[in-house]
Amino acid sequence: MSPSKPYLRIATEEAFAPPEMIRIYQKILAGSDVDPGFKGLMGFYISSPSERAQHIMRCLQDLDQIRLAHMDEAGIDHQVLALTAPGVQIMDKATAVSFARVANDFLADAVRRHPTRFTGMISLPVQDPQEAAKEIERGVTRLGMHSVVINSHTHGEYLSDPKFWDIFAAAEQHGTPIYLHPNSLPRNMLEPFQECGLDGAIYGFGVETGLHALRIITAGVFDRFPKLQMIIGHMGEALPFWSYRLDYMHQATVRSKRYDSIKPIHKKPSDYLRENFYITNSGVAWEPAIKFTQSIVGVDRVLYAMDYPYQYAAEEVQLLDRMDMSAEDKKKFFQTNAQKVFGISAL
Ligand code: 1DF
Ligand code: MN
C-alpha cells in the first residue's frame, strides 16, 4: 500500500435488493392489511417519483457497474452487503424461508463476480428459527459467508423471546456475528413516531433497534451464549451514551423486584456492550461520537460503515479520513476490525 493510502476503507452496512424481492414487496403492498411501517418505508421507496427514492431503488438493485463506480468515486474499497431492510422478515413464513435462500445465492454470485470488492452477510427467515439456523450453516459451509443480518423485530416479535434462540445457538456455534439492523417500526409502536414524521432513520429506527439490543442483553442471551457477537449500527443506536444510566437503573430495577420480566444477569448491561457487541458509525460521520464510543467499547470494536445507498455522501469519507486519531486506531476503524469481524479474506 502506498504511504498516501495507509488503510483500505471497508464499509460494513451496505444495502442491496434483488429485483425479485422488489416484486415480492409490490405484491405484499398490493394486499390487504399491509403492515403500516413497511408501507411507510418500502411503499415509499418503491412508488415515490422523488429523485432520492428513484436513485436509491436503482442503486439497491445494482451489484456491478453503478455500485462499483460509486465506491470508486467515494474511495470505498470494499462493501459488506446486507439484504435491505426488512429483507425477508416482512414475508409470510414459507416465502421467507424460500426467498432467503434465493437472496443469499444472489449475493454469493455477486461476491464471486467481485471478490475483492464485496463480502456478504447471510439473510435469515427469522419467522422459522430452525430453518434460519440451517441457513446460517448453509451460508457458512456452502456460500463462504461469515456473518448474519437480522432487521430488528419480525412482525413485532423480538429475539429476546427464547423461541428464537436456536438462531443464537447456530450463530455462536458457527462464529457468525449477527448485525442487528433497523426495521420500520412495528404496528404497536408506530403512531406517535409516524404522526410527526420521526419514525424512520431520523430517530425511530434507532429507538427501536436500540430497544431490541437492550432486550437481548437484559433477557440474558449473552449469559446463555457467551461467545455470541452482535453488531449494531448508527453509533450503537445511542446505547453507549446510555451506558451509565442503564447500568445504574438495571441493578436498581432488578433489586426492587418490580418486574418479573427483568431478572438478574451475570454482568452489567455495559459489560455486554463491551464484550459482545461491535458498533459501526453508519449514518454518523461525527468524530466526537466515534471517539466517545471507542472510549466505551474500545478501539477494536468500532467500525466504519456508510449505509449505501441510503446515505451515500462521499464528503463524509474525507471528513472521517481527517479525524484526529492515531494512524493505528484509524486503520482499525476503517479496515482491520472489519476484516476480523466479517471474515474478509480477499481485498
Ligand atoms: C433508511 C435508512 C432505509 C437505513 C434503510 O433500509 C436503512 C432510510 C431500508 O433512510 O429510509 O438501512 N439506515 O440504516 O439508516
Ligand atoms: Mn442501514
Side-chain angles (χ1 to χ4, degrees), residues 13-15 84-85 151 179 181-182 205 234 282 307-308 310:
E13 189 201 301
E14 316 307 307
T84 203
N151 297 295
Y179 203 124
H181 182 276
F205 283 8
H234 315 100
S282 51
D307 212 358
Y308 179 90
Y310 297 102

Side-chain angles (χ1 to χ4, degrees), residues 19 31 65 67 90-91 99 112 190 193 205 217 254 322:
Q65 272 65 43
R67 185 175 297 255
I90 192 67
M91 302 172 189
F99 192 74
R112 254 176 245 123
L190 187 61
F193 289 83
F205 283 8
I217 291 172
V254 168
R322 291 197 299 269

Side-chain angles (χ1 to χ4, degrees), residues 38 54 71 86 153 158 167 171 277 288:
F38 178 65
Q54 302 229 332
M71 289 166 68
H153 74 91
Y158 288 90
I167 296 174
F277 284 85

Side-chain angles (χ1 to χ4, degrees), residues 49-69:
S50 73
E51 161 98 59
R52 171 175 163 84
Q54 302 229 332
H55 181 70
I56 284 173
M57 289 309 296
R58 212 166 27 245
C59 297
L60 277 174
Q61 294 176 79
D62 179 277
L63 284 166
D64 296 282
Q65 272 65 43
I66 300 175
R67 185 175 297 255
L68 292 171

